[in-house]
Amino acid sequence: MTRHDTPRHPWPGGNGTAAGGHDGDRAPDELSLVLAQGLVSAVESTGGYAGGVYLRSGTPGLLRLAVLAGLPGPLFRPWWRMHVNRPFPVSEAYRSGRPVLLSDAEESMRRFPQLMAGLPFPFGSLWVPIAGPRGNLGVLGVLRASTPGQPVALADGDRLHRLGQRLGGALADLERQGVDCVWETEPVPVQLPAATAPPVRVGRFDWDLHSGQVAADDELCAILGFAPAAFPGTVDALAERLVPEDVYGLWALARQTVESAEPVVRRMRLRGPDGRSHLLELSGRWTHPDGDVSASRLSGFLVDLGAGPVVPEAADRLPRGILSLDRLGRITYANGLAEELLGHPRAELVGHLVWRALPWFGHEAYEDHYRAALIAGDPVHFLARRPPARWLSVSLYPGHDGVSVVLQTTDQPAYAPGSVTSPGLGIGSTADRSSALYRPVALAIALTEAVTARQVSAVVTEELLPAFGGRQLAIYLLNEQHLQLAWETGFPKGFLDRFDGVGLDVSIPGVETLTTGRPIFFESMQRLAEAYPGIPIDADVGARAFLPLIASGRPVGSCILGFDRPRGFSPEERTVLTALAGLIAQALQRARRYDSESALARGLQDALLPHRLPEIDGVDTLGRYLSGTQGMDVGGDWYDVIETGHELALIIGDVQGHGVSAAATMGQLRSAVRAFALSNHDPQEVMSGTNRLLIDLDPGQFASCCYIALDPATGVARAVRAGHPQPVLRRPDGRTEVLDLPGGIVLGIDGHATYPVTEMRLEPGAMLALFTDGLIERPGTDIDEGIERLRATIERIGAVPLADTADQVIGEARAAIDRPDDIAILLAARWAGTSTVRRPRVSGPDLWRTFRGPDPGRSAAARDPAP
């Protein structure tokens, strides 16, 4: 069964489910149980304190966190989704099929800096692929204490690898039973077993008050340090094991019990020989009316609680607020002073997630401190503001089974705004410094992956706004001495239109921050209106920050951050925002160069792909091209159909890489193949000549190609391949097969390579499909699976017009969000006679534009709000 998406709810409130978003009222399904069991075994066997399992999702190339143990799920929401091409250890383990073992933070920073930018704490981690019979199903990961300078023990890596293989086998069994082992919803939280502690023991005894004889079981003797055979069986012997004050208390309790006319139960705490506290419970009744005390007896239990929890009454007497949390973030205990400091009774605290019971505790800086405590395992201390204006000193003491939180009142720090109307928490605070240290690194790394101006703006929306509690963002780019609105989110619809295209001589803060190079901060819209009388302002009363976007001394534009309430800006916060603005400016400047190159590449490809395929009696042809969704959206895939005398040449090829270089090389190869074909060279000579030409050009690229010379009259075809995927043939009776054409290596590698020619016959009613590997490749799956999937699709579609076949074959690829490679497809169908209705065949860029959707570089798309 496939897990379906559940409604999303913003952190920290959640949707009323258990930690991590999993529905606590729903019975665990079989897949969840298998994953949880495998994860718990992995964490315990490798000495870890937390772990998780990532599984494939329905989106190609996207892994989802399915199970998380030992950590609160909502606190790790940024890591719930992981693309297999991202620079993270879970992605590398999945892609490579090999374990990734990281002993400490230094090794993690060297190999995976983006992981440490988001989690800048000392910890070690182990990641192994979960292998299935047809490729990797996911990744099993364990977090554990850092071991600086000591590599991960081979035994630990081997043990976890075996557990990953065992889990893969269990998932394969589920799939054979019809369970679809993919994940589409939030991770299931798992509580790890408690750390090893002395077990709770109960000893029983029977006490004859007249004789003083005590009959004790073996467990009571063990608790008090007696060998069973050595216990003398008297209350005096029992008393010898107690401190004097406890002996008097024991006798007083016994007398009180026997003199009562009603059945009684009395309890007291006794200290054993090892100093630990034991719970004593006595029960008895005087049942003889003649007052015969000799018949009075007491029965009792002595309970050894082991290490035991904190005694509640002891914690209630402390002059500090005490909270106890489990590792999933649920409050398990709160003392009396904690109730007072937090302003909530215990009934509203115990059993609830701390961020749900105390929403203000969900501030990003506080979340980061809690992550630090759980991952690094060291105490963490910081200041926090409980709304509206009460400041608390917070200390987190983590352990294997949870976190103890100590709270004390403290004075308002000097960096905090002084009024209730400006309650913002500045980054200069102790609570925010950890976030401030790694936020520029995280943003910088994320910006390196952003290629277009739209992608840069989206990264700023996702990384910068949440870090500072912002709600609105606008980015203006400088174009011929005017500021053009390139991106906006959060502002009232149409509000910013009046500022679009303003010149640099206009007196508004967005212009002034760029012309002066100085950031401008306003704690409220009232302050903004006072500084710029008459400037239109929206109905919001919040703060604004205007940042200059300057790269290498050159003005790029300006950035506006909006907040939904008044707030102050500490000196440290202003410094960090200014530095981040410089990173944004550099990324936007790089994106502009990309946009220029992309426009050139698109124009080049428009000119090189055929706009119309030749119409030949007896053969219908159709070509389609679909660009990738990552990076430069044009590549080196191409197709062509050429009339060569009495034959028709069907060509498809794929140049390595993307961008102008790939498009240019593609154009040269297409011209070379066309020239050789029109010179009536046979297929082997066409391929060999093109190979030598590519080597002579030395563009640093290689290419694959498939060339088929077809005689429309007889159907005889001569085919040659150079490292290209095998074509698919659908026969007139509907049977469909993947051809097995011998071939040579890709073009551009070996000048002496040979390319054998295979002769075959395309019968009337048959169809031939040539394609590039972008159509059949999926991350984490074997390419043979993709070819078989295509073959089955073509067979299922049957004898329909070529346009319908192309629509269905390429439709699934078009729906993919992350598609790293381009796709080209060329279909050719042979028909008999001349009665078939002929239709003009449009191909190339016209259909390419139809299938690639709106141009992401156009201003209208750039103004769409963030997804």
Side-chain angles (χ1 to χ4, degrees), residues 144-165:
R144 64 181 197 175
S146 177
T147 56
Q150 300 180 10
V152 175
L154 292 178
D156 288 343
D158 291 342
R159 190 179 302 114
L160 189 62
H161 188 55
R162 288 194 300 270
L163 289 172
Q165 292 177 321

Side-chain angles (χ1 to χ4, degrees), residues 59-82:
T59 302
L62 181 66
L63 303 177
R64 284 183 178 268
L65 183 61
V67 178
L68 181 64
L71 295 172
L75 208 61
F76 291 82
R77 185 180 292 271
W79 294 272
W80 284 7
R81 295 159 52 94
M82 188 68 62

Side-chain angles (χ1 to χ4, degrees), residues 710-792:
L710 171 66
D711 186 338
T714 64
V716 173
R718 296 176 295 158
V720 61
R721 281 191 320 114
H724 202 81
Q726 298 278 4
V728 172
L729 173 66
R730 190 189 67 223
R731 298 189 179 278
D733 60 5
R735 290 183 298 112
T736 305
E737 62 181 292
V738 180
L739 297 180
D740 186 15
L741 305 178
I745 64 173
V746 293
L747 306 175
I749 301 297
D750 181 4
H752 301 288
T754 59
Y755 299 95
V757 177
T758 302
E759 187 171 301
M760 59 182 181
R761 185 170 184 272
L762 193 65
E763 300 174 354
M767 187 199 75
L768 195 62
L770 288 73
F771 50 91
T772 55
D773 54 13
L775 183 64
I776 55 176
E777 285 185 336
R778 285 185 179 179
T781 62
D782 189 83
I783 194 171
D784 291 336
E785 294 182 41
I787 294 178
E788 172 56 28
R789 186 169 56 249
L790 174 62
R791 185 207 64 78

Side-chain angles (χ1 to χ4, degrees), residues 29-255:
D29 56 56
E30 195 168 5
L31 177 58
S32 301
L33 290 174
V34 168
L35 296 176
Q37 180 181 358
L39 179 57
V40 170
S41 298
V43 173
E44 290 189 321
S45 66
T46 55
Y49 54 75
V53 175
Y54 284 86
L55 283 188
R56 297 178 301 179
S57 69
T59 302
L62 181 66
L63 303 177
R64 284 183 178 268
L65 183 61
V67 178
L68 181 64
L71 295 172
L75 208 61
F76 291 82
R77 185 180 292 271
W79 294 272
W80 284 7
R81 295 159 52 94
M82 188 68 62
H83 196 280
V84 296
N85 290 326
R86 297 275 287 171
F88 283 87
V90 58
S91 303
E92 180 168 314
Y94 184 86
R95 289 194 312 268
S96 67
R98 297 188 297 271
V100 176
L101 310 178
L102 305 172
S103 61
D104 57 12
E106 181 177 351
E107 183 178 8
S108 300
M109 177 62 80
R110 176 175 54 82
R111 296 181 57 184
F112 302 98
Q114 191 155 338
L115 171 69
M116 300 309 294
L119 297 172
F121 318 118
F123 67 97
S125 59
L126 317 178
W127 311 86
V128 296
I130 302 173
R134 293 177 308 211
N136 290 332
L137 301 174
V139 174
L140 173 64
V142 172
L143 304 186
R144 64 181 197 175
S146 177
T147 56
Q150 300 180 10
V152 175
L154 292 178
D156 288 343
D158 291 342
R159 190 179 302 114
L160 189 62
H161 188 55
R162 288 194 300 270
L163 289 172
Q165 292 177 321
R166 185 185 307 170
L167 181 55
L171 295 180
D173 290 341
L174 288 181
E175 289 197 328
R176 283 190 287 269
Q177 299 169 23
V179 177
D180 193 5
C181 295
V182 299
W183 202 266
E184 297 292 353
T185 186
E186 299 180 358
V188 172
V190 175
Q191 185 72 278
L192 291 171
T196 303
V200 175
R201 298 182 294 174
V202 179
R204 295 173 175 82
F205 64 92
D206 189 73
W207 182 6
D208 184 329
L209 294 178
H210 178 68
S211 66
Q213 293 296 308
V214 175
D217 65 4
D218 292 350
E219 196 68 28
L220 183 134
C221 294
I223 294 173
L224 295 180
F226 286 107
F231 181 58
T234 65
V235 72
D236 292 333
L238 183 65
E240 289 177 358
R241 298 289 174 168
L242 306 177
V243 296
E245 56 269 30
D246 286 347
V247 173
Y248 290 112
L250 176 63
W251 279 106
L253 181 62
R255 180 176 296 276

Side-chain angles (χ1 to χ4, degrees), residues 210-368:
H210 178 68
S211 66
Q213 293 296 308
V214 175
D217 65 4
D218 292 350
E219 196 68 28
L220 183 134
C221 294
I223 294 173
L224 295 180
F226 286 107
F231 181 58
T234 65
V235 72
D236 292 333
L238 183 65
E240 289 177 358
R241 298 289 174 168
L242 306 177
V243 296
E245 56 269 30
D246 286 347
V247 173
Y248 290 112
L250 176 63
W251 279 106
L253 181 62
R255 180 176 296 276
Q256 182 184 19
T257 302
V258 78
E259 290 180 352
S260 173
E262 300 294 333
V264 295
V265 175
R266 296 287 186 267
R267 294 185 180 90
M268 68 181 298
R269 293 189 180 274
L270 301 181
R271 193 173 58 182
D274 58 358
R276 288 189 290 114
S277 176
H278 304 307
L279 176 65
L280 176 68
E281 180 178 292
L282 293 174
S283 62
R285 181 180 181 181
W286 181 41
T287 58
H288 298 278
D290 58 359
D292 184 6
V293 178
S294 65
S296 299
R297 308 182 70 86
L298 292 177
S299 62
F301 299 89
L302 188 64
V303 183
D304 178 9
L305 298 175
V310 174
V311 179
E313 56 265 29
D316 281 336
R317 290 191 290 267
L318 293 175
R320 298 176 177 84
I322 304 293
L323 291 179
S324 180
L325 313 178
D326 66 15
R327 289 191 66 90
L328 300 185
R330 295 174 297 202
I331 302 173
T332 58
Y333 172 76
N335 73 347
L337 188 54
E339 293 181 283
E340 177 186 336
L341 294 177
L342 299 175
H344 293 277
R346 294 186 197 187
E348 296 178 4
L349 298 173
V350 175
H352 298 279
L353 286 171
V354 63
W355 307 277
R356 189 167 299 152
L358 307 170
W360 56 268
F361 204 74
H363 187 283
E364 179 163 336
Y366 308 155
E367 293 177 7
D368 188 57

